[in-house]
């Protein structure tokens, strides 16, 4: 007997579940409910239409109810909201938002894909017509209307995550002055401070005013026609603005699950098993609303990302229709691989960051590589900064972050695959990656990271980090091995002496063998050469991984 499958919510999780279910069973009855007017839209593209990079609004509408039904024979009901779930009767109560009529629909299997909603803190005065969040097409339309109607000279964006940064860029593209307010000491929480500081510099280069470590406290209208707002921040400073974008984060949409008595996890998302089943085996949940297991630890995490939502929707359909050949082990965890464009830069990450590793008291080591996106002698090469985190006992990859103008996605994608495949840093040095001068280098950025990490693992090089040179003891000597010209142009770390790497042998009398020697250069390579030289002469040496460039990023 064919099954009746109800799906609550479209976009990534719900639409992929519906399409997969139809491909598996032509006779299944499939109904998708969406309380908004659009069943499948490119929500990640919304800021780029606001900024003008995506000119045509229609490009964001991936499927209409008619096109989806024509291809997959799925009953798409937009503007229909699920009000309640009756687990015992296996029914849902639905309201048609166009007619206000309510009706009941039965199911054999129910898939919840309601997504996540913008989190709006309980701030006095935040509900006004100049304040917007961005989750869907109507939100996007409202922001565009506000810009075209009120013609704001200044906008404020609260929140430095993906949406916040994308909206900052979109508003600047429209010629609007922008202030970015972020409660944390950095933007882009998935990366660590030294990577985020590169973004801070890029934002300031594009005339974005940064207010980090601050939060919005209250909002007040300050003109009679209400075309301006007065914002009061947590430090009691004030900010006048004509448009306010709230992008402080999202929270899982769990109201239906709570009403139905389904188990909610500690992080506030719907709890599911490896086969996307909730605490009721006939009800599945996918996408931004659920807690999924993090790849390395298996701990619950919230991952509002399209890739995992697609995989989860497909898996739920497989399980419901008994097609488990490819998914007997269930969902294979979430790495959180993501990328964001910030003006001319891209920033990407996969796996765990250093902050999380410290919070979880996990052992780790880290190395930094600063290299060109392709052969430096070929025009158009740009620097890529890569941070690699790994287990110091077995070399397993724990996470990676990269920032740069070009080639960032390629490197993080490779490292994401390597982590999922269980490769170690030793394997990275042997990866055979594409090389031609316009595309890469004979020894790619990823290979370089693998070589450096392997040297650390084998004890061929001892590294230290920027935090280690904050306060030197009398038993340590910090040597800058760059040229005198570089030091003159760029400065050097306080407390260091300058002996160029090519002059080390002639100046050994300046280097006390009784002290621990810390060497550094611009990016780490000459520091490695100096470290090997001095180590072979019997000195106790550490090389500052990432060199002066990483130290400067830490201290931007």
């Amino acid at each position: 007997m064919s099954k009746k499958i109800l799906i609550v919510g479209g976009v990534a999780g719900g639409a992929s579940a519906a399409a997969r279910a139809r491909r598996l069973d032509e006779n299944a009855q499939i109904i998708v409910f969406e309380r908004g007017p659009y069943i499948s839209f490119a929500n990640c593209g919304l800021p780029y239409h606001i900024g003008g990079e995506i000119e045509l609004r229609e490009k964001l509408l991936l499927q209409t109810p008619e096109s989806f039904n024509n291809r997959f024979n799925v009953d798409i009901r937009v503007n229909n909201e699920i009000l309640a779930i009756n687990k015992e009767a296996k029914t849902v109560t639905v309201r048609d938002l166009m007619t206000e009529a309510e009706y009941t629909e039965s199911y054999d299997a129910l898939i919840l894909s309601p997504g996540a909603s913008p989190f709006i803190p309980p701030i006095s005065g935040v509900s006004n017509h100049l304040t917007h969040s961005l989750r869907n097409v109507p939100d996007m339309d409202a922001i565009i209307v506000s810009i075209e109607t009120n013609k704001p000279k200044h906008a404020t964006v609260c929140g430095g995550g993906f949406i916040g940064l994308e909206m900052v860029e979109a508003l600047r593209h429209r010629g609007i002055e922008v202030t970015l307010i972020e409660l944390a000491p950095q933007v882009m929480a998935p990366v660590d401070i030294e990577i985020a500081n590169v973004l801070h510099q890029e934002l300031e280069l594009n005339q974005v005013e940064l207010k980090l470590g601050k939060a919005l406290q209250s909002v007040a209208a300050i003109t009679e026609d209400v075309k301006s707002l007065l914002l009061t921040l947590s430090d009691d400073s004030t900010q006048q603005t004509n448009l306010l974008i709230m992008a402080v984060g999202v929270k899982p949409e769990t109201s239906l699950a709570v009403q139905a008595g389904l188990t909610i996890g500690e992080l506030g998302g719907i709890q599911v098993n490896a086969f996307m089943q909730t605490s009721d085996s006939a009800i599945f949940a996918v996408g931004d609303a659920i807690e999924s297991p993090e790849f390395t630890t298996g701990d619950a995490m919230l991952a509002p990302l399209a890739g995992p939502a697609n995989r989860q929707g497909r898996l739920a359909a497989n399980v419901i229709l008994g097609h488990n050949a490819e998914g007997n082990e269930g969902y294979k965890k979430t790495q959180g691989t993501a990328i964001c464009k910030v003006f001319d830069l891209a920033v990407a990450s996969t796996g765990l960051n250093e902050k999380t590793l410290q919070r979880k008291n996990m052992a780790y080591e880290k190395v930094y590589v600063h290299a060109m996106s392709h052969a430096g002698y070929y025009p158009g090469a740009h620097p890529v900064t890569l941070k690699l985190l790994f287990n110091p006992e077995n070399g397993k990859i724990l996470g990676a972050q990269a920032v740069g103008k070009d080639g960032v996605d390629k490197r993080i994608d490779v490292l994401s695959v390597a982590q999922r495949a269980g490769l170690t840093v030793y394997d990275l040095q042997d990866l055979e990656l594409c090389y031609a001068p316009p595309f890469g280098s004979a020894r790619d950025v990823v290979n370089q990271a693998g070589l450096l990490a392997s040297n650390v693992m084998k004890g061929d090089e001892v590294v230290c980090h920027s935090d280690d040179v904050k306060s030197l003891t009398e038993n340590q000597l910090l040597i800058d091995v760059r040229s005198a010209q570089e030091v003159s142009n760029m400065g050097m770390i306080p407390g260091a002496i300058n002996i160029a790497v090519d002059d080390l042998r002639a100046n050994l009398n300046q280097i006390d063998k009784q002290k621990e020697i810390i060497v550094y250069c611009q990016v780490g390579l000459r520091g490695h050469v100096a470290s090997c030289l001095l180590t072979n002469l019997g000195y106790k040496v550490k090389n500052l991984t990432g060199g002066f460039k990483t130290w400067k990023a830490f201290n931007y």
Side-chain angles (χ1 to χ4, degrees):
M1 183 178 175
S2 296
K3 291 193 174 183
K4 183 176 180 181
I5 304 170
L6 304 186
I7 301 173
V8 182
V11 197
S16 63
R20 177 62 174 170
R22 175 56 71 223
R23 290 195 297 270
L24 292 176
D25 188 344
E26 183 60 28
N27 296 313
Q29 184 181 0
I30 306 168
I31 307 174
V32 179
F33 300 92
E34 172 59 55
R35 66 183 171 190
Y38 304 100
I39 185 62
S40 182
F41 60 90
N43 51 356
C44 295
L46 301 179
Y48 300 106
H49 180 58
I50 294 172
E53 292 94 338
I54 299 174
E55 292 185 18
L56 297 178
R57 181 178 179 276
E58 304 81 64
K59 293 286 187 182
L60 301 173
L61 307 178
L62 306 179
Q63 292 275 6
T64 65
E66 294 75 24
S67 66
F68 203 94
N69 183 60
N70 289 340
R71 177 163 295 181
F72 295 111
N73 189 26
V74 171
D75 184 357
I76 304 292
R77 302 182 188 177
V78 295
N79 297 308
N80 274 247
E81 181 178 13
I82 305 297
L83 301 178
I85 301 169
N86 187 324
K87 293 185 299 182
E88 290 71 26
K90 284 192 174 183
T91 62
V92 297
T93 302
V94 191
R95 175 183 290 149
D96 185 328
L97 298 178
M98 304 303 290
T99 66
E100 294 298 321
E102 294 184 9
Y103 61 97
T104 300
E105 201 72 61
S106 64
Y107 64 84
D108 296 309
L110 174 64
I111 301 177
L112 301 180
S113 180
S117 56
F119 172 65
I120 307 297
I123 296 170
S124 172
V126 77
S127 297
N128 62 78
H129 72 284
L130 296 180
T131 298
H132 302 269
S133 58
L134 181 62
R135 182 194 185 195
N136 51 37
V137 175
D139 291 342
M140 176 191 73
D141 292 339
I143 292 172
I144 292 173
V145 168
S146 182
I147 292 172
E148 293 177 348
T149 302
N150 298 312
K151 295 179 172 49
K153 293 182 178 180
H154 181 277
T156 300
V157 176
C158 284
F162 291 93
I163 295 295
L165 290 173
E166 289 163 358
M167 279 303 303
V168 163
E169 182 174 354
L171 293 166
R172 288 297 296 131
H173 281 173
R174 280 180 164 261
I176 301 170
E177 295 178 12
V178 179
T179 296
L180 175 60
I181 299 171
E182 169 56 54
L183 177 60
Q186 66 166 80
V187 301
M188 192 52 62
V191 302
D192 294 310
I193 186 65
E194 67 277 25
I195 303 297
N197 275 340
V198 180
L199 302 180
H200 298 157
Q201 184 175 12
E202 179 73 4
L203 289 162
E204 291 176 339
L205 285 172
N206 284 276
Q207 289 80 53
V208 176
E209 182 185 23
L210 283 179
K211 295 195 173 183
L212 303 175
K214 296 177 174 62
L216 185 60
Q217 189 169 285
S218 67
V219 181
I222 61 171
T223 58
E224 290 184 6
D225 54 359
V226 195
K227 288 192 175 181
S228 294
L229 301 172
L230 183 66
L231 313 180
T232 302
L233 307 187
S234 51
D235 61 354
D236 293 327
S237 65
T238 58
Q239 173 78 54
Q240 185 174 339
T241 195
N242 310 114
L243 176 67
L244 175 60
I245 304 295
M246 296 299 295
V248 297
V250 296
K251 58 181 180 180
E253 178 54 72
T254 59
S255 55
L256 270 178
V258 170
Q259 175 274 319
L262 303 178
T263 301
I264 305 298
E266 291 184 2
L267 301 179
I270 303 171
Q271 195 173 92
V272 296
N273 64 16
F275 300 98
M276 315 318 299
Q277 290 170 303
T278 68
S279 51
D280 184 302
S281 61
I283 302 177
F284 297 71
V286 301
D288 299 357
I290 73 166
E291 294 183 4
S292 57
E294 189 277 319
F295 183 80
T296 299
T297 63
D299 295 343
M301 69 180 296
L302 298 174
L305 299 168
N310 272 284
R311 288 190 284 133
Q312 293 157 5
R314 178 184 174 91
L315 175 59
N318 285 345
V319 174
I320 290 168
L321 294 170
H323 190 83
N324 289 344
E326 67 176 78
N328 284 330
E329 299 175 19
Y331 182 66
K332 297 187 172 60
K333 301 180 182 179
T334 299
Q335 292 167 275
T337 308
I339 189 166
C340 184
K341 178 180 178 294
V342 183
F343 294 100
D344 288 336
L345 294 182
V347 59
S349 64
T350 190
L352 299 175
N353 57 33
E354 188 171 2
K355 300 187 293 282
T356 302
L357 291 167
Q358 290 174 346
R359 189 175 69 249
K360 292 179 177 290
N361 293 315
M362 295 174 63
Y364 70 93
E365 184 54 276
K366 60 180 178 178
V367 293
Y368 299 88
V369 172
H370 303 281
M372 302 307 286
S373 56
H374 59 248
Y377 56 82
Y378 187 89
H382 296 287
V384 172
T385 292
L386 176 69
K387 177 180 184 178
L388 179 65
L389 296 148
F390 57 96
N391 185 317
E393 299 298 322
N394 56 27
K396 286 289 184 72
I397 299 164
L398 298 174
Q401 303 160 35
V403 64
K405 286 188 176 182
D406 182 49
V408 166
D409 53 344
K410 169 183 174 180
R411 275 70 191 207
I412 292 299
D413 281 345
V414 168
L415 289 167
S416 173
V417 171
Q419 183 188 40
R420 186 164 286 275
L423 303 186
T424 69
V425 296
Y426 297 115
D427 298 309
L428 296 182
Q429 60 187 334
D430 294 320
L431 292 181
E432 194 168 321
L433 304 174
C434 288
Y435 165 59
F439 303 105
S441 300
R443 183 180 289 169
D444 189 80
V445 180
V446 173
N447 298 135
Q448 292 183 45
L451 282 164
L452 180 52
S454 296
N455 285 340
V456 173
M457 288 287 296
K458 292 182 290 187
D460 291 345
E461 179 169 81
V462 180
V463 296
C464 65
H465 305 293
S466 295
D467 281 344
D468 299 327
V469 297
K470 281 183 176 178
S471 55
L472 300 171
T473 70
E474 60 183 15
N475 296 318
Q476 293 175 307
L477 178 62
L478 182 62
I479 304 178
D480 187 325
V481 299
R482 296 174 298 162
S483 69
Q485 186 65 45
E486 286 177 279
V487 169
S488 175
N489 291 339
M490 303 179 190
M492 63 180 182
I493 300 174
I497 65 170
N498 177 221
I499 307 175
V501 63
D502 294 338
D503 299 330
L504 277 175
R505 291 181 180 87
N507 289 277
L508 293 175
N509 61 314
Q510 296 186 46
I511 306 174
D512 188 345
K513 224 169 192 176
Q514 302 305 311
K515 293 187 176 182
E516 178 184 74
I517 311 302
I518 299 174
V519 296
Y520 74 89
C521 63
Q522 183 63 19
V523 298
L525 181 57
R526 284 171 292 172
H528 172 67
V529 173
S531 174
C532 291
L533 187 161
L534 293 173
T535 298
N536 288 335
L537 291 175
Y539 290 86
K540 182 180 178 182
V541 188
K542 291 180 178 178
N543 183 20
L544 178 63
T545 180
F548 184 75
K549 188 171 184 178
T550 296
W551 178 85
K552 199 167 184 180
F554 264 104
N555 295 281
Y556 175 69

